[in-house]
Amino acid sequence: MHEFVSFNHQILPAEKTNIQSSSIAALYGKGVFTTIAIQDGKPFLWDKHWSRLTANAGKICLDPQEFQEQKVLDSLYRIVGKNCVGNGRCRLTFFDESAPKLWQAEMESRICLLIQTADRREVKNRISLTFSPFQINSTSPLVGVKSCNYLGNSLALDEAITNGFDEAIRTNEKGHVTSACMANIFWLKNDRLFTPGLQTGCLEGTTREFVLENWDVFEVEETLENLEDADA
């Protein structure tokens, strides 16, 4: 991450940014986020990211109406400029800073917005994949929501890296391929391009949507065995 962040439209040193310790965001990870590629100082597929971010917020009962799209975009450009990001990445997070009823704390309901930037992740020409035992529950009411509670994804990736792999393929409770730990997945077989359908519980990724709009892609339910003889 870079030195400065945008917190509720104010540029601050990253170490001076705090959320309430007794908030439902801090205690239970209530929030949603999206990570956007920055190309030549501009956010890639901004409309898709903003649309999904606000839709996901609604699914966990967050109402970010006070954060108007243009003002958020202006703040994004300011922090990209402050951190001198030409080609990199940016993360937008809506946190719920209200207090959880379980703790009966008195705190004004408030949503906060954090925008962070970083360099691009290194991408290898060839990556090694394994299969993850961390399954995705396709029946969960939170399926498809990119929430701040990303522990399953994080543990799955950590296990893969610990075992000497770059990423891992995850399945759902029915044994159908859903995604990688931190990405959507596509495979090529007999000159046909495939990806898991949303009914598998995979995340409706913005790049996934972009690919589906521009190429012929078959959305399917497949098992790991059928992926093993893929061409790529």
Side-chain angles (χ1 to χ4, degrees), residues 174-211:
K174 300 175 185 177
H176 294 142
V177 173
T178 58
S179 65
C181 304
M182 295 291 178
N184 289 112
I185 186 167
F186 294 81
W187 62 94
L188 193 66
K189 187 174 181 179
N190 298 327
D191 291 326
R192 301 172 80 187
L193 189 60
F194 299 89
T195 196
L198 295 180
Q199 70 272 20
T200 64
C202 72
L203 182 72
E204 192 172 2
T206 52
T207 301
R208 176 187 184 276
E209 183 182 355
F210 176 78
V211 172

Side-chain angles (χ1 to χ4, degrees), residues 24 83 95 104 106 113 121-122 165 176 183 203 211 226:
I24 196 168
N83 287 325
F95 292 107
Q104 299 180 338
E106 293 186 6
L113 170 65
R121 288 175 64 188
E122 181 184 352
F165 296 91
H176 294 142
L203 182 72
V211 172
N226 289 328

Side-chain angles (χ1 to χ4, degrees), residues 6 19 35 40 48 59 64 91 94 177 187 199 220 229:
S6 173
I19 62 172
T35 304
D40 297 324
K48 294 184 186 299
K59 289 179 180 178
R91 171 171 161 150
F94 281 126
V177 173
W187 62 94
Q199 70 272 20
V220 296
D229 62 350

Side-chain angles (χ1 to χ4, degrees), residues 20 96-99 105-111:
Q20 293 283 352
D96 186 346
E97 282 209 302
S98 58
E106 293 186 6
M107 187 187 301
E108 182 182 353
S109 179
R110 192 166 76 98
I111 298 173

Side-chain angles (χ1 to χ4, degrees), residues 135-146:
Q135 290 186 325
I136 290 174
N137 179 8
S138 67
T139 66
S140 168
L142 293 178
V143 71
V145 174
K146 198 165 186 178

